[in-house]
Amino acid sequence: LRELIATGDRYGLVVFSDIAYEAFPPQTPAQELEPLLRYFTPLGQARPTVGYPSYSLGNQPFAVNPWTNALTGGTRITSGLRAALAALRRDGIRNGSIVLVSDLDDDYLDVPQLADTFTAIARADVDMRIVGLQPSDEDAALFGALLGGQDRIERAQLPAVRPSRTPGGLPPRIPVALVLAGAVLALLLAANELWSARLWVQPVRRTA
């Protein structure tokens, strides 16, 4: 997010779990993404705002995010990709790109829809980029095949945290913000010729 904000370009943002939500339309100035940073930044020694609870991952507390109630179901990656493509089409964006940021752990019922979705994106001449957040080898292989090669997926490692126990020995609550970061973000790069050139991939040809 900080890298995107620093570009000063224009983007759109779709967040999704089993459903998709357009948080920012295409052509939104990058600076509008800055308020999102707090949801992915540990609170550290800071106390949460009264009436604004926090979640913890290991011993790291994070502020609760506005999608807690709406986006807590399963993961249907096609819902996010289709919402992104629909937004580009609706706003008449040319030379746009879609960046999927996800752990790629898709609902198995959604997998049959992926090939059709990637084909639709390729036919719309929309460039596609995938950043896998510590994906499993199986998931990386699946999405790599859809892009034309597993080497086309950029891999990002999530920061390690020390596990901690909550009273009663229950596992710590996982912040929905980090779930969103790990599995439910799709960034639209709208009308950005520079990034489009950098993110170009070979159009997907439907093989199955």
PDB file of all heavy atoms in Angstrom, residues 129-130 144 147-154 200-202:
ATOM      1  N   ARG A 129      -1.799  -9.398 -12.968  1.00  0.00           N
ATOM      2  CA  ARG A 129      -0.633  -9.659 -12.130  1.00  0.00           C
ATOM      3  C   ARG A 129      -1.125 -10.298 -10.843  1.00  0.00           C
ATOM      4  O   ARG A 129      -2.180  -9.927 -10.314  1.00  0.00           O
ATOM      5  CB  ARG A 129       0.097  -8.346 -11.831  1.00  0.00           C
ATOM      6  CG  ARG A 129       1.234  -8.465 -10.826  1.00  0.00           C
ATOM      7  CD  ARG A 129       1.788  -7.083 -10.509  1.00  0.00           C
ATOM      8  NE  ARG A 129       2.760  -7.109  -9.414  1.00  0.00           N
ATOM      9  CZ  ARG A 129       3.235  -6.028  -8.811  1.00  0.00           C
ATOM     10  NH1 ARG A 129       2.817  -4.835  -9.182  1.00  0.00           N
ATOM     11  NH2 ARG A 129       4.101  -6.137  -7.826  1.00  0.00           N
ATOM     12  N   ILE A 130      -0.365 -11.269 -10.320  1.00  0.00           N
ATOM     13  CA  ILE A 130      -0.738 -11.930  -9.070  1.00  0.00           C
ATOM     14  C   ILE A 130       0.415 -11.832  -8.087  1.00  0.00           C
ATOM     15  O   ILE A 130       1.560 -12.164  -8.412  1.00  0.00           O
ATOM     16  CB  ILE A 130      -1.098 -13.411  -9.297  1.00  0.00           C
ATOM     17  CG1 ILE A 130      -2.369 -13.541 -10.154  1.00  0.00           C
ATOM     18  CG2 ILE A 130      -1.302 -14.122  -7.957  1.00  0.00           C
ATOM     19  CD1 ILE A 130      -2.783 -14.971 -10.437  1.00  0.00           C
ATOM     20  N   GLY A 144      -0.603 -20.276 -11.361  1.00  0.00           N
ATOM     21  CA  GLY A 144       0.469 -20.141 -12.332  1.00  0.00           C
ATOM     22  C   GLY A 144       0.064 -20.702 -13.683  1.00  0.00           C
ATOM     23  O   GLY A 144       0.365 -20.118 -14.729  1.00  0.00           O
ATOM     24  N   LEU A 147      -2.009 -18.284 -15.527  1.00  0.00           N
ATOM     25  CA  LEU A 147      -1.253 -17.138 -16.045  1.00  0.00           C
ATOM     26  C   LEU A 147      -0.260 -17.548 -17.122  1.00  0.00           C
ATOM     27  O   LEU A 147       0.330 -16.689 -17.765  1.00  0.00           O
ATOM     28  CB  LEU A 147      -0.505 -16.443 -14.915  1.00  0.00           C
ATOM     29  CG  LEU A 147      -1.262 -15.391 -14.097  1.00  0.00           C
ATOM     30  CD1 LEU A 147      -0.324 -14.718 -13.111  1.00  0.00           C
ATOM     31  CD2 LEU A 147      -1.920 -14.351 -14.982  1.00  0.00           C
ATOM     32  N   GLY A 148      -0.063 -18.852 -17.296  1.00  0.00           N
ATOM     33  CA  GLY A 148       0.887 -19.298 -18.298  1.00  0.00           C
ATOM     34  C   GLY A 148       2.229 -19.687 -17.731  1.00  0.00           C
ATOM     35  O   GLY A 148       3.200 -19.843 -18.464  1.00  0.00           O
ATOM     36  N   GLY A 149       2.316 -19.849 -16.424  1.00  0.00           N
ATOM     37  CA  GLY A 149       3.580 -20.258 -15.813  1.00  0.00           C
ATOM     38  C   GLY A 149       3.660 -19.833 -14.366  1.00  0.00           C
ATOM     39  O   GLY A 149       3.334 -18.696 -14.032  1.00  0.00           O
ATOM     40  N   GLN A 150       4.071 -20.750 -13.497  1.00  0.00           N
ATOM     41  CA  GLN A 150       4.128 -20.463 -12.072  1.00  0.00           C
ATOM     42  C   GLN A 150       5.132 -19.359 -11.762  1.00  0.00           C
ATOM     43  O   GLN A 150       5.002 -18.644 -10.766  1.00  0.00           O
ATOM     44  CB  GLN A 150       4.477 -21.725 -11.293  1.00  0.00           C
ATOM     45  CG  GLN A 150       4.354 -21.594  -9.776  1.00  0.00           C
ATOM     46  CD  GLN A 150       4.452 -22.929  -9.069  1.00  0.00           C
ATOM     47  OE1 GLN A 150       4.208 -23.968  -9.658  1.00  0.00           O
ATOM     48  NE2 GLN A 150       4.820 -22.896  -7.805  1.00  0.00           N
ATOM     49  N   ASP A 151       6.130 -19.191 -12.647  1.00  0.00           N
ATOM     50  CA  ASP A 151       7.123 -18.158 -12.417  1.00  0.00           C
ATOM     51  C   ASP A 151       6.549 -16.756 -12.593  1.00  0.00           C
ATOM     52  O   ASP A 151       7.192 -15.759 -12.257  1.00  0.00           O
ATOM     53  CB  ASP A 151       8.309 -18.351 -13.368  1.00  0.00           C
ATOM     54  CG  ASP A 151       7.900 -18.313 -14.836  1.00  0.00           C
ATOM     55  OD1 ASP A 151       6.732 -18.645 -15.140  1.00  0.00           O
ATOM     56  OD2 ASP A 151       8.740 -17.958 -15.673  1.00  0.00           O
ATOM     57  N   ARG A 152       5.319 -16.656 -13.093  1.00  0.00           N
ATOM     58  CA  ARG A 152       4.689 -15.349 -13.274  1.00  0.00           C
ATOM     59  C   ARG A 152       4.046 -14.842 -11.977  1.00  0.00           C
ATOM     60  O   ARG A 152       3.585 -13.712 -11.929  1.00  0.00           O
ATOM     61  CB  ARG A 152       3.632 -15.418 -14.379  1.00  0.00           C
ATOM     62  CG  ARG A 152       4.210 -15.709 -15.761  1.00  0.00           C
ATOM     63  CD  ARG A 152       3.114 -15.678 -16.818  1.00  0.00           C
ATOM     64  NE  ARG A 152       3.652 -15.959 -18.133  1.00  0.00           N
ATOM     65  CZ  ARG A 152       4.169 -15.040 -18.940  1.00  0.00           C
ATOM     66  NH1 ARG A 152       4.213 -13.791 -18.553  1.00  0.00           N
ATOM     67  NH2 ARG A 152       4.636 -15.372 -20.131  1.00  0.00           N
ATOM     68  N   ILE A 153       3.985 -15.686 -10.968  1.00  0.00           N
ATOM     69  CA  ILE A 153       3.408 -15.272  -9.692  1.00  0.00           C
ATOM     70  C   ILE A 153       4.502 -14.729  -8.782  1.00  0.00           C
ATOM     71  O   ILE A 153       5.499 -15.403  -8.532  1.00  0.00           O
ATOM     72  CB  ILE A 153       2.691 -16.450  -9.001  1.00  0.00           C
ATOM     73  CG1 ILE A 153       1.490 -16.908  -9.849  1.00  0.00           C
ATOM     74  CG2 ILE A 153       2.223 -16.055  -7.603  1.00  0.00           C
ATOM     75  CD1 ILE A 153       0.733 -18.057  -9.241  1.00  0.00           C
ATOM     76  N   GLU A 154       4.332 -13.503  -8.327  1.00  0.00           N
ATOM     77  CA  GLU A 154       5.266 -12.930  -7.373  1.00  0.00           C
ATOM     78  C   GLU A 154       4.893 -13.412  -5.977  1.00  0.00           C
ATOM     79  O   GLU A 154       3.738 -13.344  -5.578  1.00  0.00           O
ATOM     80  CB  GLU A 154       5.212 -11.404  -7.433  1.00  0.00           C
ATOM     81  CG  GLU A 154       5.564 -10.837  -8.797  1.00  0.00           C
ATOM     82  CD  GLU A 154       5.488  -9.325  -8.803  1.00  0.00           C
ATOM     83  OE1 GLU A 154       5.883  -8.717  -7.796  1.00  0.00           O
ATOM     84  OE2 GLU A 154       5.014  -8.775  -9.806  1.00  0.00           O
ATOM     85  N   TRP A 200       2.708  -6.295 -17.706  1.00  0.00           N
ATOM     86  CA  TRP A 200       2.138  -7.028 -18.831  1.00  0.00           C
ATOM     87  C   TRP A 200       2.478  -8.498 -18.732  1.00  0.00           C
ATOM     88  O   TRP A 200       3.628  -8.859 -18.422  1.00  0.00           O
ATOM     89  CB  TRP A 200       2.672  -6.477 -20.127  1.00  0.00           C
ATOM     90  CG  TRP A 200       2.041  -7.096 -21.338  1.00  0.00           C
ATOM     91  CD1 TRP A 200       0.932  -6.702 -21.981  1.00  0.00           C
ATOM     92  CD2 TRP A 200       2.516  -8.270 -22.053  1.00  0.00           C
ATOM     93  NE1 TRP A 200       0.658  -7.535 -23.033  1.00  0.00           N
ATOM     94  CE2 TRP A 200       1.601  -8.509 -23.097  1.00  0.00           C
ATOM     95  CE3 TRP A 200       3.594  -9.129 -21.880  1.00  0.00           C
ATOM     96  CZ2 TRP A 200       1.753  -9.568 -23.974  1.00  0.00           C
ATOM     97  CZ3 TRP A 200       3.728 -10.183 -22.757  1.00  0.00           C
ATOM     98  CH2 TRP A 200       2.827 -10.387 -23.792  1.00  0.00           C
ATOM     99  N   VAL A 201       1.481  -9.347 -18.980  1.00  0.00           N
ATOM    100  CA  VAL A 201       1.705 -10.801 -19.044  1.00  0.00           C
ATOM    101  C   VAL A 201       1.054 -11.316 -20.300  1.00  0.00           C
ATOM    102  O   VAL A 201       0.161 -10.693 -20.861  1.00  0.00           O
ATOM    103  CB  VAL A 201       1.144 -11.537 -17.805  1.00  0.00           C
ATOM    104  CG1 VAL A 201       1.862 -11.096 -16.555  1.00  0.00           C
ATOM    105  CG2 VAL A 201      -0.355 -11.299 -17.682  1.00  0.00           C
ATOM    106  N   GLN A 202       1.505 -12.474 -20.740  1.00  0.00           N
ATOM    107  CA  GLN A 202       0.945 -13.079 -21.927  1.00  0.00           C
ATOM    108  C   GLN A 202      -0.531 -13.384 -21.725  1.00  0.00           C
ATOM    109  O   GLN A 202      -0.901 -13.964 -20.721  1.00  0.00           O
ATOM    110  CB  GLN A 202       1.685 -14.388 -22.250  1.00  0.00           C
ATOM    111  CG  GLN A 202       1.238 -15.065 -23.546  1.00  0.00           C
ATOM    112  CD  GLN A 202       1.621 -14.278 -24.772  1.00  0.00           C
ATOM    113  OE1 GLN A 202       2.614 -13.583 -24.768  1.00  0.00           O
ATOM    114  NE2 GLN A 202       0.819 -14.360 -25.822  1.00  0.00           N
TER     115      GLN A 202
END
